[in-house]
Amino acid sequence: MVVCVNVWHNAREREQSQVADRVRDAEEYLARLTVAKYSGVKSIEFEPYWYHRWAGTTYRMRVNGVESSWMVDGEPGSIENPVESGTINDDVAFDEGWFAGDRGSGVRKRDAKLDADSVTLNDVEVKYCLQKDE
């Protein structure tokens, strides 16, 4: 009996580790996508993600301290059809291209979006979360 429980426990740990690896990859891609879209990004801090099988996964983050999120289709770790959302602090600043309508963030929409696959995060402090919001 102990062997069965131990095997189940090991399989569960392995599955959780694989999900965490996929979530880490997704968060890294979304960080690169954010840098590809905006200039002035100094820090990105991910918060626990939210998942609902009918609504997909929402990756919450703070960019230079400003809240935002990316919603994607599919299970945690998926990066299908990422759609950015965020709280708009100031409509005018948002219309001027400031991230989430917050001039204080120092993050502004680029004139031409970069290719996310070629963006590096060397100059950005990124804190990954990998945890599900309970």
Side-chain angles (χ1 to χ4, degrees):
M1 193 67 135
V2 173
V3 173
C4 292
V5 172
N6 200 17
V7 169
W8 177 83
H9 181 70
N10 289 342
R12 177 94 170 127
E13 282 184 352
R14 190 169 39 254
E15 178 184 340
Q16 289 174 340
S17 176
Q18 290 170 346
V19 169
D21 288 346
R22 289 192 309 267
V23 168
R24 166 72 162 70
D25 291 345
E27 287 181 351
E28 180 180 351
Y29 175 77
L30 294 171
R32 285 186 290 133
L33 191 58
T34 301
V35 172
K37 190 173 181 179
Y38 296 97
S39 64
V41 176
K42 302 274 189 244
S43 68
I44 298 174
E45 183 174 351
F46 284 91
E47 297 175 354
Y49 65 87
W50 180 83
Y51 171 68
H52 192 283
R53 69 176 173 208
W54 292 292
T57 307
T58 300
Y59 294 93
R60 299 176 310 148
M61 62 185 189
R62 292 182 177 275
V63 177
N64 291 13
V66 177
E67 290 183 37
S68 186
S69 61
W70 285 97
M71 295 175 283
V72 298
D73 294 341
E75 296 180 354
S78 172
I79 54 170
E80 295 179 46
N81 304 316
V83 176
E84 181 183 9
S85 70
T87 304
I88 305 302
N89 296 330
D90 176 350
D91 288 332
V92 174
F94 179 77
D95 291 340
E96 292 172 351
W98 292 100
F99 182 77
D102 189 326
R103 287 181 179 91
S105 70
V107 179
R108 193 152 189 197
K109 191 174 249 183
R110 294 182 185 276
D111 292 333
K113 183 179 168 185
L114 304 174
D115 177 25
D117 292 329
S118 64
V119 167
T120 66
L121 298 171
N122 295 339
D123 297 330
V124 180
E125 180 183 343
V126 182
K127 293 182 182 175
Y128 300 100
C129 185
L130 313 182
Q131 296 174 344
K132 183 177 180 184
D133 190 0
E134 299 297 329

